[in-house]
Amino acid sequence: MEEGKRILATPLLDDNSLGDCSFFCENHLVAIELWKPKSNYHIPLFHTSHGRFTVPTTLHECSVGLPTFCNLDGSNLVNITQVDKIITGDYGGGQVVFKNQDIKESINSANLSRWKQIYADAMNADREIRYIFGSEIKVVGKATVSGFFKVGNMLSVDMWEPKKNYYVPRFHSGNRSYTIGLTAQACREAFPYLYPAYKDTLINLDLVCEIESNAFGGLIRFEGSDFTCSMSHNKLKALKKLWK
């Protein structure tokens, strides 16, 4: 099976702890459901034939998972591969200037002194080919239709609060900003080919390997995954017409 897009994500381990942010392949996606890891948070949980994943929700996850991004000063991460030059300041620090952008980020004196190594580490990292599952932010607090955006095109990452006590990563690319995909609606828009099994749960019909009927409807099993999905009689009847 081809891998398809590599989507930036954090693995959920067997003990429900989080691994280091990496990616899953879109064509390995079995199902998506919403997950509540902590109070006030409802985020996508991706079941794949290679494990479970969720969206990164902290700057630390992004820092670990994005080797070309570095904290130069303050509370954001800068994509070193997008830096054009450095302007040295009068008091020990300076500013980094991005390629083809009238945008600058500060760099403190400690990182300025080790800039050559920071730059070399970023340039020697694997070429960034992953995608962000998210939505462009058009108005503060509001996002457009969800989709996929290239990680390598982003200039920086910081945290923002789309609603009270709900902090998630925000990616910046020139004069555009993107939020991590968080809602069932965002999943439906980004993955329109997935079948709505029941409320807030989408499944990949291409990976269905067995449909087991029972008194309540049916149980759906998938290739390469322990994930199963219960379904009502009406949904099951409609699914069987679509299932290859």
Side-chain angles (χ1 to χ4, degrees), residues 124-152:
N124 288 330
D126 292 340
R127 185 171 66 91
E128 186 57 80
I129 60 173
R130 291 173 294 178
Y131 287 80
I132 301 161
F133 157 53
S135 310
E136 183 179 352
I137 304 168
K138 288 293 188 180
V139 180
V140 175
K142 295 184 179 180
T144 60
V145 174
S146 299
F148 302 99
F149 311 94
K150 292 182 177 179
V151 173

Side-chain angles (χ1 to χ4, degrees), residues 22 25 88 103 120 148 164:
S22 55
C25 298
T88 303
I103 298 173
F148 302 99
K164 187 176 181 181

Side-chain angles (χ1 to χ4, degrees), residues 34-44 54-59 61 159-169 180 182-183:
L34 288 191
W35 177 50
K36 188 175 182 180
K38 55 185 176 180
S39 177
N40 200 39
Y41 276 65
H42 283 84
I43 60 177
T54 189
V55 293
T57 59
T58 68
L59 204 62
E61 289 173 67
M159 298 293 288
W160 77 308
E161 189 180 14
K163 62 181 183 179
K164 187 176 181 181
N165 296 323
Y166 198 93
Y167 295 91
V168 293
I180 287 289
L182 298 168
T183 65

Side-chain angles (χ1 to χ4, degrees), residues 79-163:
N79 186 353
I80 305 303
T81 64
Q82 290 288 348
V83 172
D84 180 45
K85 61 183 178 181
I86 289 182
I87 300 174
T88 303
D90 296 330
Y91 302 99
Q95 292 180 315
V96 295
V97 181
F98 293 106
K99 300 172 184 176
N100 305 315
Q101 300 286 343
D102 186 24
I103 298 173
K104 302 178 179 66
E105 292 281 356
S106 61
I107 177 171
N108 60 40
S109 57
N111 283 322
L112 185 61
S113 66
R114 53 187 292 268
W115 170 251
K116 288 185 178 180
Q117 186 60 54
I118 292 173
Y119 184 80
D121 290 344
M123 299 307 292
N124 288 330
D126 292 340
R127 185 171 66 91
E128 186 57 80
I129 60 173
R130 291 173 294 178
Y131 287 80
I132 301 161
F133 157 53
S135 310
E136 183 179 352
I137 304 168
K138 288 293 188 180
V139 180
V140 175
K142 295 184 179 180
T144 60
V145 174
S146 299
F148 302 99
F149 311 94
K150 292 182 177 179
V151 173
N153 290 346
M154 300 299 118
L155 305 182
S156 62
V157 189
D158 63 7
M159 298 293 288
W160 77 308
E161 189 180 14
K163 62 181 183 179

